[in-house]
């Protein structure tokens, strides 16, 4: 799921012979053209850096930065410090698209059609890039099908595993 999908893609592309079946659920890792909202957020973050770098505002810089990322629901980045924040940035910049063609395993891609974090158009990119894949779109589900409808998700996964 999500970041774990990025990890699974990297592993499956490198060691495909060790994997019989792969399941990706609302997986991250494919870079898409940034939306207007994403561009605006990046511009706001850059402006905040400049504004709060003033000597008299430095004391409240961290508080405002944490509030900004909290409102964006990017809690992992807020919790991380120093080199871990840079690591998160670097990981999020990587695009796993070139690795998809290396995946030989039968792959099930499951996606919530209401996913705002990793939009459903990314699911179609995964499906197109992995030659032996099947795409299942869950209607009315966001980024976390395992929380939003675990029974339906389990049913889809079990059907995939049982079909040999």
């Amino acid at each position: 799921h999500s970041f774990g999908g990025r990890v699974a893609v990297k592993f499956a592309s490198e060691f495909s012979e060790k994997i019989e079946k792969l399941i990706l659920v609302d997986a991250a890792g494919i870079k898409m053209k940034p939306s207007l909202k994403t561009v605006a957020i990046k511009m706001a973050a850059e402006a905040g850096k400049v504004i709060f770098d003033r000597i008299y505002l430095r004391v409240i810089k961290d508080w405002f930065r944490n509030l900004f990322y909290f409102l964006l629901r990017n809690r992992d980045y807020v919790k991380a410090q120093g080199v871990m924040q840079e690591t998160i940035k670097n990981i999020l910049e990587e695009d796993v698209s070139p690795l998809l063609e290396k995946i030989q395993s039968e792959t099930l891609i499951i996606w919530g059609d209401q996913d705002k974090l990793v939009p459903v158009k990314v699911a179609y990119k995964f499906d197109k890039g992995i030659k032996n894949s099947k795409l299942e779109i869950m209607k009315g589900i966001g980024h976390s099908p395992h929380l939003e409808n675990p029974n339906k998700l389990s049913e889809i996964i079990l059907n995939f595993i049982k079909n040999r």
Side-chain angles (χ1 to χ4, degrees):
H1 172 254
S2 200
F3 182 84
R6 178 191 302 270
V7 174
V9 165
K10 290 185 84 160
F11 184 86
S13 70
E14 192 73 27
F15 305 104
S16 203
E17 73 284 355
K18 297 181 185 261
I19 299 171
E20 185 178 333
K21 293 187 176 195
L22 174 65
I23 302 169
L24 301 173
V25 181
D26 293 82
I30 293 181
K31 297 286 287 178
M32 301 295 283
K33 183 179 174 196
S35 67
L36 184 58
K37 178 181 174 184
T38 301
V39 171
I41 289 169
K42 284 185 178 184
M43 289 174 61
E46 290 301 317
K49 285 180 192 174
V50 171
I51 292 167
F52 288 102
D53 228 19
R54 308 273 186 250
I55 291 174
Y56 53 89
L57 293 176
R58 284 186 188 153
V59 292
I60 58 172
K61 179 180 180 178
D62 285 341
W63 186 86
F64 272 101
R65 182 182 60 79
N66 289 341
L67 176 63
F68 180 72
Y69 286 108
F70 176 80
L71 293 173
L72 292 175
R73 293 180 171 31
N74 195 336
R75 292 178 184 90
D76 291 340
Y77 185 77
V78 171
K79 289 178 191 173
Q81 294 182 5
V83 73
M84 285 307 295
Q85 284 186 338
E86 286 304 310
T87 300
I88 288 171
K89 283 183 196 176
N90 291 338
I91 289 169
L92 295 178
E93 286 300 313
E94 183 182 20
D95 186 353
V96 300
S97 296
L99 305 178
L100 301 181
E101 66 185 25
K102 296 179 182 179
I103 297 174
Q104 304 300 312
S105 314
E106 184 180 353
T107 304
L108 174 63
I109 302 162
I110 305 170
W111 225 272
D113 70 342
Q114 301 300 309
D115 190 338
K116 303 286 187 240
L117 193 57
V118 186
V120 73
K121 63 184 175 182
V122 175
Y124 294 102
K125 296 274 188 181
F126 273 106
D127 190 39
K128 184 177 179 186
I130 301 172
K131 62 181 159 204
N132 192 14
S133 64
K134 178 185 178 204
L135 177 60
E136 288 273 346
I137 304 294
M138 295 180 69
K139 302 287 184 210
I141 300 295
H143 185 65
S144 299
H146 59 288
L147 300 175
E148 296 171 57
N149 195 340
N151 292 335
K152 180 65 177 170
L153 178 64
S154 298
E155 179 185 315
I156 294 168
I157 290 172
L158 289 173
N159 285 336
F160 175 69
I161 291 171
K162 288 178 186 176
N163 293 328
R164 291 192 168 240

